[in-house]
Amino acid sequence: MNRMIPSLAAMTLALSHGGAMAGPVEDMRARTPEQEVIYFALPDRFENGDPGNDEGGLKGGKLQTGFDPADKAFYHGGDLKGLTQRLDYIANLGASAIWVGPIFRNKPVQGPKGQESAGYHGYWITDFTRVDPHLGTDAEFKALVDAAHARGMKVYMDIIVNHTADVILYREGAAQGYPYRSKADYPFSARGGVKGPAINPGFAGDSVATVENWAKLTAPSFAYTPVVPKGEARVKVPAWLNDPIHYHNRGNTDWKGESAQYGDFVGLDDLATEDPRVIAGMIAIYGDWIDRFGVDGFRIDTAKHVDAAFWRSFVPAMQARAKARGIPNFHIFGEVTTGEVYDPALLASWTRNSGLPAVLDFGFMQAAITASSKGDTTDLARMVDDDVLYQGGKAAAMQLPTFLGNHDAGRIAMFIRQARPGIGADELLARDKLAHALLLTLRGVPTIYSGDEQGFVGEGNDQLARQDMFASKTAIYNAETLVGTTATTAQANFDETHPLYQFISALAKLRRGTPALTSGTTVLRAASDQPGLFAVSRFDPQDGREVLLVFNTSTQPVSAQVEVATASLGFTTLVGATCAATASAPGSVTVSLPPLGFAVCTARP
């Protein structure tokens, strides 16, 4: 295949063009979000730095401690100390920011009998103020943040405001699985439905967001009757979270309409984020994490299941708290899932209606999967125009974290393999590289999911996409055939010679040293609904220099004329296939790419 790793001379040119890499803390703070390359890791699945905390200080079997490294649904032993020990590995990959999966104290195990699983992922919070003992201590989180900052790397926390762990039960509806009960059929003013006895006199509804109004909501049994099991009445921290009045209590969401905001997320206790008391409580909780640890941003879980008004209060409060802490470029991005479709309008609506500064770019994920697995680049082409939909337009779209897969949806190698049954190992590696080339050169904030750089594939989404980086004892993970290596997950996978690791590292460092790739405007040059040429130009925001990006999504060589700026009369290869040294004529250059190849060409006047 084509030459994927840039020469030393090309790297030197790129770095001199963009300046130094990570510097001291003050230089790190000055970087804006689009200048980062993010590395995402779930601490439990990354590295075990302290086997002494594997059971979280709890006693008993797996259903009490949550620990079983052979079961994909339970804790495996990774922790914050292990993540800290591997910071150089992450830095050498070219990442400048770490998105750390939720670290808050979780309910160790929950779920119906026979279907139990553990809170290893961090999304079942009981104590919002402390680190989960399975992952370490508050002091160890501070050590992680300090060690990352000393390397010029930012730390983003994964936070949740939509729900807590599943503690609240309902007296009714168990046999039916607690179906959602709407506000129309079960208004706040009556117990158990419109014909029930009157309750909550004077409450004007949840759209009246005043403390005085919400003080009149005193009975939480308008839809279901919430019941807190014995022994869990005070399990949540801060203490106000233990009162069922602060929850929606309407049963499980069906993911549609009203229930998407008010329903319990698979049984998880859904907070009434319309309540000013909940808003103030969450601002206090997460502002304190900024104050105590000086983190650099928040990824917000399940953001689209929270009412828009909450974010319009929460986001400015967090930005102000961060600025007061000396963090002017605090990056906030929400999770707004779109399903398996390209839907920038849905994503953009949450930046406009809710005031979220950025959202995870699921549109890019779908477009990149389609391009790298099927060859169709029409959605990638649409992005160039669709970016105006976001609040702040195309400039704001540069701060959207882009990604190829994640711990919920699944990994890029899996998507490629699903789209091309029977694909050979060499072609899978080539398409995996092509996807990462798109990720690391197009607009947005590239986000690498840990394990992708070691060729992890996975058999599906969710638990099947959460393999261990350290030596795994989970049979279904260890049976996988990885990309680009003969290794398995039965051994630790921190191999800096892995072809994907080296490929990503070279491109990440090139990107961070090339302002056109981090912050440059984009002009579409070529795209097709069939496999073949995709091309865009990006322009240096400082001097206007053109950087031409060309990709071949076909398994056949491609050669074509591509439009460029008339001032771009010559080109130097930064990475990939050899670029034409001179333009064919002012405004046009010949591009020749091998199968599934690409090139990054910087213009010379």
Side-chain angles (χ1 to χ4, degrees), residues 181-203:
R181 293 182 171 181
S182 72
K183 290 196 292 180
D185 292 332
Y186 296 86
F188 294 107
S189 59
R191 176 176 287 114
V194 293
K195 296 182 179 180
I199 56 174
N200 301 317
F203 181 61

Side-chain angles (χ1 to χ4, degrees), residues 136-159:
T137 65
D138 289 8
E140 287 167 352
F141 182 59
K142 185 178 188 303
L144 169 64
V145 175
D146 291 348
H149 285 173
R151 291 166 169 81
M153 302 172 72
K154 297 181 179 180
V155 176
Y156 299 155
M157 294 184 74
D158 199 328
I159 70 168

Side-chain angles (χ1 to χ4, degrees), residues 559-598:
S559 183
Q561 294 300 125
V562 173
E563 181 185 3
V564 292
T566 56
S568 300
L569 300 178
F571 290 89
T572 299
T573 304
L574 293 183
V575 63
T578 301
C579 304
T582 59
S584 305
S588 182
V589 67
T590 302
V591 168
S592 297
L593 295 172
L596 303 175
F598 78 102

Side-chain angles (χ1 to χ4, degrees), residues 43 72 116 391:
K72 69 183 187 304
E116 299 92 346
Q391 184 68 36

Side-chain angles (χ1 to χ4, degrees), residues 13 27 54 163 169 283 299 317-318 416 592 594:
L13 172 65
D27 290 345
D54 287 355
H163 58 261
L169 306 177
I283 287 173
R299 178 266 188 182
M318 294 302 97
I416 295 171
S592 297

Side-chain angles (χ1 to χ4, degrees), residues 485-529:
T485 180
T486 58
T488 72
T489 57
Q491 61 199 80
N493 282 275
F494 298 98
D495 180 10
E496 296 190 18
T497 68
H498 190 290
L500 282 170
Y501 183 99
Q502 292 193 335
F503 180 80
I504 293 168
S505 176
L507 277 177
K509 293 169 184 174
L510 176 66
R511 179 188 183 88
R512 290 173 55 200
T514 308
L517 299 184
T518 59
S519 311
T521 57
T522 300
V523 174
L524 179 66
R525 300 301 192 188
S528 175
D529 61 357

Side-chain angles (χ1 to χ4, degrees), residues 160-368:
I160 304 94
V161 304
N162 177 66
H163 58 261
T164 72
D166 184 6
V167 174
I168 298 173
L169 306 177
Y170 300 131
R171 186 169 295 159
E172 313 85 2
Q176 296 78 34
Y178 308 110
Y180 183 74
R181 293 182 171 181
S182 72
K183 290 196 292 180
D185 292 332
Y186 296 86
F188 294 107
S189 59
R191 176 176 287 114
V194 293
K195 296 182 179 180
I199 56 174
N200 301 317
F203 181 61
D206 62 358
S207 63
V208 180
T210 65
V211 173
E212 294 76 15
N213 180 53
W214 279 85
K216 297 172 184 176
L217 184 71
T218 57
S221 53
F222 36 83
Y224 287 97
T225 305
V227 177
V228 177
K230 291 181 180 179
E232 293 190 287
R234 295 181 177 84
V235 72
K236 296 179 184 179
V237 180
W240 63 265
L241 288 162
N242 293 301
D243 189 343
I245 201 66
H246 297 306
Y247 298 83
H248 285 134
N249 302 312
R250 290 188 174 276
N252 286 321
T253 181
D254 60 12
W255 316 109
K256 295 175 290 191
E258 176 188 303
S259 84
Q261 179 178 316
Y262 288 86
D264 293 345
F265 198 98
V266 196
L268 300 170
D269 300 348
D270 200 68
L271 280 157
T273 49
E274 304 83 6
D275 185 343
R277 298 167 294 187
V278 174
I279 297 170
M282 285 295 169
I283 287 173
I285 286 169
Y286 289 115
D288 188 58
W289 284 92
I290 296 173
D291 292 346
R292 286 195 291 157
F293 299 98
V295 294
D296 306 284
F298 288 155
R299 178 266 188 182
I300 303 172
D301 182 65
T302 53
K304 78 171 184 179
H305 299 290
V306 176
D307 63 297
F310 176 91
W311 299 124
R312 293 195 294 268
S313 295
F314 182 84
V315 167
M318 294 302 97
Q319 291 171 329
R321 201 74 165 254
K323 287 179 182 177
R325 184 67 162 76
I327 311 167
N329 293 302
F330 194 79
H331 197 189
I332 297 176
F333 50 99
E335 179 196 28
V336 177
T337 56
T338 61
E340 296 180 8
V341 294
Y342 172 78
D343 191 352
L346 174 60
L347 294 171
S349 72
W350 283 85
T351 68
R352 290 189 173 273
N353 301 332
S354 304
L356 288 171
V359 291
L360 285 161
D361 195 351
F362 281 87
F364 176 89
M365 183 189 81
Q366 294 301 331

